[in-house]
Amino acid sequence: MPAIDVVGEFETIQRLLKPLAHPEWARGLADDVAVLPSRPGYDLILTKDAIIEGVHFLPDDPLDTVAQKLLRVNLSDLAAKGAEPFGYLLACHWSERCGWPEREAFVAGLRRDQAIFDISLLGGDTVKTPGPASFSATLLGWAPSSSTVSRGGARPGDLVFVTGTIGDGWLGLQAAQGALSLEPERMDALEAAYRTPMPRVEFAPVVRGLATASADVSDGLLADAGHIAEASGVGMELDLEVLPLSAAAQAWLDSRVDPQGALELLATGGDDYEIVLTVPAGAEKALRREAERRHLRLTRIGRVVEGKGVIVRHLGQEITPTRIGWTHD
């Protein structure tokens, strides 16, 4: 149904988005730019992601959770680089179904996560489109000068770790599409993981201080570990049987007749927004201590070796996964 009761772009900005704006740097969203003061001793870190209806979120996903996911997938990138977020630029491409109530819901999601992650809107653009709704955010963060972790620093002998659990994002999509059958509380947990993943912002200082290389798990654990291996010019051995799983994912795995194949699906499905990182072997104790302080699950999943690419093992046997992860074709 076409949207009604939307007066225009500027009313959306004034009534909905202006209250989210940074009180100084965004210039009240009345200018074409935001003006940020410099921060001596720090680098400005930027990242940008877009999400499109029917590709990155479902047409019936609530728009407040769509807004939260938009911010969180970007916050995850900053966390994996060891950066502290402070603001964002926003582009909204409203579809015909995005009336005033839908726009209010979207902004409510933004407001919720601004409070959680202590960030502010700095500016952006809003337009209408005859196609599906899409949204884009550019997140900005600070990191002490020359401290930002890249994908290219892993060295043979390093250990490979991942935060949190893996596979809930992919399983959550299956649940949201009605393609999964588990107990209701399991289904609810998985759908929440898909719609509102939790970026590991609190772990950013640890990544910055201890990691030799890192990436967020958006395309799938195997794919993103592979990005680190490629950028670093090393090989990486990963053990599939130690994949950290939530209770819901474990329940799903227990129901499968092919555990290895099921683990491959979880390790390649993507949308987890955890951090995969490499650290020197001597830093393992400190890394685990920092994770425990933050009550964050941390799992050692492999090692960095001489060579090229990712070698996947299951119960000691090398395997060839049927796929590595999500690709943006």
Side-chain angles (χ1 to χ4, degrees):
M1 177 182 296
I4 57 174
D5 71 353
V6 175
V7 174
E9 172 188 6
F10 291 102
E11 183 172 3
T12 297
I13 294 171
Q14 287 297 311
R15 290 179 57 186
L16 294 183
L17 297 175
K18 185 177 179 180
L20 304 182
H22 191 279
E24 298 175 50
W25 303 339
R27 295 189 166 189
L29 301 186
D31 207 336
D32 290 326
V33 299
V35 178
L36 278 62
S38 62
R39 189 176 182 187
Y42 285 78
D43 292 329
L44 178 63
I45 315 301
L46 301 93
T47 186
K48 182 182 184 66
D49 267 314
I51 58 175
I52 302 171
E53 184 178 48
V55 178
H56 303 96
F57 63 94
L58 300 175
D60 58 352
D61 278 348
L63 283 189
D64 59 336
T65 66
V66 171
Q68 289 180 275
K69 187 167 187 176
L70 174 67
L71 292 181
R72 293 178 183 211
V73 301
N74 282 283
L75 286 164
S76 180
D77 278 323
L78 289 183
K81 302 296 101 180
E84 173 192 351
F86 70 88
Y88 66 101
L89 299 169
L90 174 70
C92 299
H93 308 95
W94 308 109
S95 67
E96 291 297 325
R97 78 174 178 96
C98 294
W100 193 257
E102 290 77 16
R103 297 185 188 199
E104 285 185 312
F106 186 85
V107 168
L110 296 177
R111 183 181 300 110
R112 191 177 304 140
D113 271 12
Q114 284 196 185
I116 292 172
F117 299 106
D118 192 23
I119 56 177
S120 297
L121 178 64
L122 298 173
D125 194 19
T126 69
V127 297
K128 286 191 67 176
T129 174
S134 64
F135 307 95
S136 176
T138 301
L139 267 287
L140 295 87
W142 298 114
S145 297
S146 304
S147 69
T148 305
V149 183
S150 75
R151 294 177 177 176
R155 296 293 177 263
D158 285 353
L159 305 178
V160 185
F161 291 84
V162 69
T163 63
T165 58
I166 294 297
D168 288 354
W170 178 78
L171 283 174
L173 174 59
Q174 312 310 306
Q177 292 176 321
L180 204 63
S181 179
L182 289 171
E183 296 175 358
E185 62 270 23
R186 308 283 198 210
M187 297 283 280
D188 290 345
L190 292 172
E191 287 192 42
Y194 161 68
R195 290 196 171 102
T196 53
M198 181 56 69
R200 300 304 181 184
V201 173
E202 79 281 8
F203 208 57
V206 183
V207 173
R208 191 171 66 238
L210 296 176
T212 54
S214 63
D216 83 320
V217 182
S218 54
D219 296 337
L221 177 60
L222 300 188
D224 290 305
H227 297 328
I228 291 175
E230 181 178 5
S232 299
V234 297
M236 195 175 286
E237 297 177 350
L238 301 181
D239 301 313
L240 205 57
E241 70 272 9
V242 300
L243 199 69
L245 302 179
S246 67
Q250 186 65 57
W252 176 82
L253 178 66
D254 291 343
S255 71
R256 313 306 293 177
V257 297
D258 177 16
Q260 178 185 308
L263 285 170
E264 288 183 31
L265 289 173
L266 297 177
T268 60
D271 250 9
D272 290 309
Y273 303 101
E274 297 292 348
I275 299 175
V276 56
L277 66 156
T278 61
V279 300
E284 178 175 8
K285 185 175 181 180
L287 184 72
R288 291 189 181 279
R289 182 171 60 247
E290 293 298 332
E292 289 172 3
R293 284 183 55 206
R294 293 163 173 80
H295 306 288
L296 177 62
R297 186 170 176 177
L298 182 75
T299 304
R300 177 177 164 182
I301 58 170
R303 63 211 62 83
V304 179
V305 296
E306 299 279 356
K308 183 179 181 180
V310 173
I311 299 169
V312 183
R313 291 195 171 93
H314 182 245
L315 300 176
Q317 299 296 314
E318 186 175 334
I319 64 173
T320 303
T322 55
R323 72 172 197 162
I324 296 298
W326 172 264
T327 57
H328 302 272
D329 294 332

